[in-house]
Amino acid sequence: MAGTTYWTRRIVNYGITFFVLFVLACATATAQIEITLKNTFIEKYKSRATIDANFTVDIAHKKPNPPSKDGDIHIAGRASEIGLATVAEIMNAASEPDSVDAIHHVEGTNQTIAMTGVWRIWCEHGGSSQQVQGAKLTKFTTTNPDHVFEIHPITHLGETSLLETLHTIEGYQAKDASQAFLSYENKKSHIALKKTTTTLTTTMGGFNYVDFVMRISGDQREVTDGRFVMAQVFDLNGELLVQNRRMVFVKDSGPEKLVKTLGSGSCLRVLGIPRIDLSLISWRVRNGKTRPEVLDWNLPYEMIVVAAKEDTEHCED
């Protein structure tokens, strides 16, 4: 009897622990995150793939993540051009030891380093704090502070091009397309308007590095630092997941060199990461006064393509 009582207590305790962890996970997933952006920033970057910054490196990973954990190196810091807590990341960083050394050379010194990379606003690590562009930032002591802004991936560091790091991550298990796009498509949001700022309220979002197939569905738009391509999204079984979504390609990267040679109806198998689509935020801001319902539409997003190869198998008619 005593043994039965002991195991009964253990089972009950495990059950309670599981329940608490489940509740905490659900609370985290639905926690509200507020992002306040300057309207001038939205207008400047809504049609840009990348951002240039003089970046103060507060703290960085001692070494890149292993490929099984994505192969990136995380760099927490600040830049006046951004005005938000920022984490910058080099893809496939182990292949760029000189750039990793350059980051560590200025780490914690308050010196800046010139950096260009894909701007990314996404609530993967937003925490519970409000993210207000232009608010005072203090030196970070962790490589993963509460943040919604990333330079990910970095494409140039100082005079060094890192465009060659935009390729598949050997040894990494990419996220499932069906699960990822179901999450993206159902992410709620609300926009509040002020004279010079826009506040976006949404919830935490994950699913970095998703493996999916895109079918070009319209004309390609070339911009100064990249290319925007409208596309349908399929999973690897050929199931249509999204009818029309904007894809972001960095100028002169391998994926951009490939996609610009293809026409409507062509397919690519790609590795992508999500970011909030500032062009749709801008549209909703402009139309929100006469059409208030647009301020509560689901979160607008687009996909940054960081690796690509032509695909003739997965999205045949």
Side-chain angles (χ1 to χ4, degrees):
M1 292 294 291
T4 301
T5 302
Y6 169 79
W7 284 110
T8 300
R9 289 174 179 168
R10 290 290 298 272
I11 292 170
V12 169
N13 287 339
Y14 280 131
I16 292 171
T17 300
F18 176 81
F19 177 75
V20 170
L21 291 174
F22 176 78
V23 170
L24 288 174
C26 290
T28 299
T30 58
Q32 298 293 297
I33 300 169
E34 285 189 6
I35 308 167
T36 299
L37 300 175
K38 297 177 181 178
N39 293 338
T40 52
F41 183 90
I42 294 172
E43 294 305 308
K44 181 175 181 178
Y45 289 100
K46 67 181 183 181
S47 297
R48 288 195 58 180
T50 64
I51 190 169
D52 302 317
N54 291 300
F55 198 76
T56 300
V57 177
D58 287 332
I59 185 169
H61 281 170
K62 293 185 182 301
K63 59 182 181 180
N65 289 334
S68 62
K69 293 186 177 180
D70 77 14
D72 292 341
I73 188 168
H74 291 202
I75 307 151
R78 298 156 288 148
S80 60
E81 297 89 348
I82 299 168
L84 290 162
T86 301
V87 172
E89 302 185 29
I90 300 174
M91 278 189 68
N92 293 297
S95 65
E96 299 292 334
D98 290 344
S99 291
V100 172
D101 287 345
I103 291 295
H104 288 147
H105 180 72
V106 297
E107 180 181 2
T109 65
N110 288 322
Q111 298 180 49
T112 62
I113 187 167
M115 182 183 293
T116 298
V118 181
W119 68 260
R120 182 180 184 233
I121 301 175
W122 194 249
C123 296
E124 184 182 7
H125 301 290
S128 59
S129 59
Q130 294 179 331
Q131 300 287 323
V132 180
Q133 193 168 40
K136 184 178 180 180
L137 298 172
T138 57
K139 187 175 182 178
F140 298 117
T141 58
T142 172
T143 57
N144 192 29
D146 288 352
H147 68 280
V148 298
F149 197 97
E150 295 180 354
I151 301 177
H152 183 192
I154 300 172
T155 59
H156 293 82
L157 191 68
E159 299 297 319
T160 301
S161 171
L162 297 177
L163 288 170
E164 294 297 322
T165 65
L166 274 66
H167 60 76
T168 54
I169 307 165
E170 298 297 331
Y172 178 74
Q173 182 62 52
K175 301 298 188 296
D176 175 74
S178 297
Q179 294 181 27
F181 282 93
L182 179 64
S183 175
Y184 304 154
E185 289 288 313
N186 288 283
K187 192 67 62 182
K188 304 298 182 184
S189 69
H190 172 72
I191 293 173
L193 308 177
K194 290 189 177 180
K195 186 175 182 180
T196 61
T197 63
T198 296
T199 297
L200 175 69
T201 302
T202 187
T203 55
M204 295 284 279
F207 294 101
N208 273 1
Y209 291 132
V210 184
D211 186 7
F212 65 97
V213 175
M214 56 166 279
R215 175 191 280 160
I216 300 172
S217 58
D219 293 336
Q220 302 188 27
R221 180 188 175 196
E222 186 176 4
V223 293
T224 303
D225 59 349
R227 184 177 299 269
F228 294 115
V229 181
M230 300 304 297
Q232 296 173 306
V233 175
F234 296 82
D235 66 16
L236 301 187
N237 295 316
E239 292 295 324
L240 178 64
L241 303 177
V242 181
Q243 186 62 247
N244 209 32
R245 187 59 54 191
R246 191 166 83 162
M247 305 289 159
V248 182
F249 291 81
V250 178
K251 184 177 177 62
D252 294 330
S253 66
E256 195 264 343
K257 290 178 181 178
L258 174 59
V259 76
K260 71 182 182 180
T261 67
L262 303 176
S264 183
S266 299
C267 289
L268 292 169
R269 183 171 175 179
V270 305
L271 186 68
I273 51 179
R275 76 179 186 184
I276 291 174
D277 185 341
L278 290 185
S279 68
L280 291 180
I281 293 290
S282 174
W283 184 90
R284 294 182 191 183
V285 168
R286 294 195 309 273
N287 291 274
K289 290 183 179 180
T290 57
R291 296 183 59 190
E293 72 275 10
V294 306
L295 301 178
D296 288 299
W297 285 358
N298 281 5
L299 184 70
Y301 72 96
E302 57 193 359
M303 298 299 295
I304 305 160
V305 176
V306 296
K309 62 180 180 180
E310 193 166 1
D311 188 290
T312 58
E313 174 187 356
H314 289 102
C315 64
E316 296 176 352
D317 289 333

